[in-house]
Structure formats: C-alpha cells, structure tokens
Amino acid sequence: MKITGIRTTAVLAPLPRPVRTASGAIERFPLVLIDLSTDAGVEGRAYSLVYLPELLPALERCVAAMASMLAGRELVPRDLHDHLLKRCRLFGLKGMTGIALGGLDMAIWDAWSRARNEPLARALGAELRPIKAYNSVGLYDAASVVEIAEETLAAGYAGLKIKAGFASFAQDLAAIRAARRALGDDTALMIDYNQSLSPPEAMARCKALDDEGLTWIEEPVLADDFASCARIADAVRTPIQIGENFNGPGEMRAAIAAGAMDLVMPDPQYIHGVTGWLEASALARTAGLPMSSHLFAEAASHLLCATPTADWLEVMDAAGGLRRTPLQLRDGCVTPWDAPGLGIEWDGAAVARQRAG
C-alpha cells in the first residue's frame, strides 16, 4: 500500500473559553489538519498545532513540504519515520520540522492501523482500557477558579490542572487553595507554571507548596534547564513534572540522565509522533517514571493504553470542536474509541467554518 497524497487544512479551532497562561492567552487553537490518502483507498487523519496564529501559515507549509517527501512510498510507519529523520538530519528536528514530523507520523500510524481495521492501541498489541483523565485549563484567580472546579466535578474528571504564575506567590496560593476547597479531597489537583519562573523563584514557590496536597508541579522553570529542574526535584517533596517540550526521545533521555523530574509527560507531537512515543515509553519504563500525556487526547488515549507506566491523560481538547465524536469520559477516565486507527472523523461543516485565511 502506497501513499498517494497528503492534504493539509489550516484552521483556528474553537475553545469553550480562552486558555490564559503566564505567557498570554490562546483564544483559538491554530491547527493543521492532516489527511493522508493511499492507493488502497485507506485514509489517515491527524493534526499538528502551534500556539501562535501568526505561525499557522508557516506550520502548514512545513507539513506540506515534509509530506511531499513521502509521496509514492510504502505505508510502513517506522520506515517512513526513519526516512524523514534521515532527510532532516542536516536541518534538525526541532521547532516546525519536529512538529510537522509528529503530526505526519500520527497520520501514518492512523492509516496503518485503519488498514488493519483495528484501533491504534490494539494494533500496537494493547487493549483498550480506561485511562484516568484530568481537566486542563488556564490561569484563574481565587475567585474565578471555583467555577472551573465545579465544572470539573460536574463533568466527572478525576483531576484538575490549573495554570499558576501570578505576579505574587500569594495569588498562586490563594487560587490553589480555592480550587482545593471546591474540589474536595477526592479529586486530584495539579498546577502548571509554564516555564514562567526563574530558578530561585521556582525553588522558593515550589518549596512553599509542599503541604498543599498537589499531585504535581509542572514546568516551574525553562523546559530545557534540566540542571535547575533536577535541583528543584531533589529539594521539593511535591513531584515535579516536565516533558511536554521534549523535542524527540533524545531530549527525554537527557532529562532522565540529569534527574530532571519525578514524573514525565511527553507531547505526542513534539516527541515525534507514535514512533517517538513508543521509544519514550520504553525509556520511562526503564527509569521507573510514571508517564502522562500532553494534549492530543485522541492519540494519547491509545498510546497510554500501550505505555507500561501510564499515569494521567490530559484533556485540553484542541480539536474537539472539529470532530464528529466527543471523547468518552466515564468514572473519571477516558477510554479510546473502539474504531479503526485513532478514531478521528472530521465534521466537514465545522472545519469549513473554522478555516484560517
């Protein structure tokens, strides 16, 4: 079976509410939808995302250019992945090229498992099972976070992650305590600093949060500052979580060697797709690290089924407004769709409404 074409569609996907972070707000998610076709009539679907709408045209061009390197080649996922790695060796696979590779790799594996008429998890040798899921939201102060916590409980999530990184630690602490009171003791609470703190400030704030019952503190400093992450992880009792910004499994390997985290959460796109995730999950197993996901809940729910140290599924449903089928949340868990591939089917009318440009 050979690849005959890959179509890209740039969209600004709707969100229930803007995602505010310490770096700014995301009003809509800039996505490049990827639709792969083969000479056997089998299709593959996935998407790539970039946080800044100004960069969406560049991402679409990058995905389309890398897709042109695959035309006419046999649909063998690992061979195609290796082919792109080799072609991009001189330029590198960080930034746009890594993002494009991740999205294309997910579309390739989707088509491959659709050709087998199996959900991706089952095609990888795993069974579909419920994965505990948390609601992932933006930056809310002590007054506004209560409504978010109540929505999280009503929806049935097992956990809530809020952004942190206010101008003062007192504001962070007030929001965390307000969320905890609203959630009660049976729902997990995580926070994400989105790399917004200097190492000294991060050390001070994280230590001061040790008695707040947090499941983890995420990315307190710059994502690639493994030395500072390691010092914080060593000094703080609350688990430190990083990983969404690993550009491929090699960076995860370096972070493990540095002792930079207690928990790890690769992003299916940045880790270089399904192929990269499988390597990352082997690293996590060897290191004994609980492994969660970042974004891309459609793919991540399947991949966590095949991950020996699977922990939490993040739900910030970037493409939810463009799919025909909602995620299946029950008893605090998401179970992957029992459909071939990733199970993504686009709502054509919704896609047409949200097209960029």
Side-chain angles (χ1 to χ4, degrees):
M1 186 187 312
K2 293 185 178 180
I3 296 172
T4 55
I6 297 176
R7 184 177 72 256
T8 61
T9 307
V11 297
L12 292 170
L15 290 169
R17 56 171 59 88
V19 179
R20 185 183 169 210
T21 75
S23 300
I26 301 170
E27 302 289 338
R28 292 189 289 171
F29 260 117
L31 309 181
V32 175
L33 310 187
I34 302 170
D35 293 278
L36 179 151
S37 57
T38 68
D39 59 4
V42 175
E43 298 180 341
R45 297 185 185 90
Y47 58 92
S48 286
L49 70 81
V50 64
Y51 298 109
L52 301 174
E54 296 87 349
L55 297 181
L56 183 57
L59 176 58
E60 184 177 24
R61 288 195 294 271
C62 189
V63 173
M66 291 185 70
S68 70
M69 303 177 190
L70 302 176
R73 302 187 72 87
E74 291 286 340
L75 186 68
V76 181
R78 292 183 187 277
D79 289 353
L80 294 170
H81 191 88
D82 289 345
H83 174 68
L84 290 177
L85 290 180
K86 184 180 295 184
R87 289 297 308 275
C88 295
R89 185 171 295 147
L90 293 179
F91 188 72
L93 282 165
K94 294 186 178 182
M96 288 293 182
T97 49
I99 291 172
L101 171 63
L104 288 167
D105 188 87
M106 285 187 273
I108 288 164
W109 281 93
D110 179 58
W112 177 80
S113 48
R114 284 176 188 256
R116 297 167 62 94
N117 198 34
E118 291 182 312
L120 176 64
R122 200 166 287 146
L124 293 173
E127 281 303 316
L128 304 182
R129 61 184 177 88
I131 304 293
K132 62 181 177 178
Y134 68 86
N135 185 23
S136 183
V137 300
L139 187 68
Y140 292 93
D141 63 18
S144 57
V145 79
V146 174
E147 180 182 356
I148 300 300
E150 290 172 348
E151 288 181 6
T152 299
L153 291 174
Y157 286 99
L160 169 66
K161 185 174 80 181
I162 58 175
K163 307 294 187 188
F166 286 102
S168 72
F169 173 70
Q171 291 170 286
D172 284 349
L173 185 60
I176 290 165
R177 288 181 172 176
R180 169 52 66 210
R181 285 193 297 272
L183 290 172
D185 295 331
D186 295 331
T187 302
L189 178 63
M190 306 83 157
I191 66 165
D192 184 359
Y193 274 110
N194 283 126
Q195 312 177 65
S196 61
L197 304 177
S198 68
E201 182 69 11
M203 183 69 80
R205 293 198 190 196
C206 292
K207 279 186 173 181
L209 291 171
D210 259 341
D211 295 321
E212 299 303 320
L214 296 172
T215 298
W216 71 61
I217 300 170
E218 188 174 328
E219 285 196 334
V221 297
L222 291 175
D224 59 356
D225 186 355
F226 296 157
S228 293
C229 286
R231 285 192 291 272
I232 294 167
D234 184 59
V236 174
R237 297 194 307 276
T238 306
I240 300 300
Q241 173 82 274
I242 70 170
E244 69 183 69
N245 286 294
F246 291 154
N247 287 273
E251 291 193 358
M252 180 168 160
R253 189 177 295 108
I256 291 171
M261 64 278 187
D262 303 296
L263 309 168
V264 67
M265 57 179 305
D267 178 292
Q269 170 181 259
Y270 279 97
I271 205 69
H272 296 167
V274 174
T275 308
W277 180 285
L278 295 175
E279 183 177 344
S281 70
L283 292 172
R285 181 179 190 176
T286 300
L289 287 172
M291 184 157 146
S292 299
S293 66
H294 179 258
L295 297 181
F296 298 91
E298 306 95 340
S301 58
H302 285 274
L303 292 170
L304 285 167
C305 289
T307 299
T309 61
D311 198 7
W312 285 88
L313 175 76
E314 179 179 48
V315 179
M316 182 182 285
D317 200 4
L322 304 175
R323 294 191 315 267
R324 294 180 187 172
T325 308
L327 297 174
Q328 301 180 102
L329 177 64
R330 183 177 181 182
D331 297 329
C333 298
V334 168
T335 302
W337 298 300
D338 192 356
L342 300 176
I344 295 174
E345 300 295 342
W346 301 126
D347 180 333
V351 171
R353 286 194 301 270
Q354 306 300 335
R355 287 189 70 135

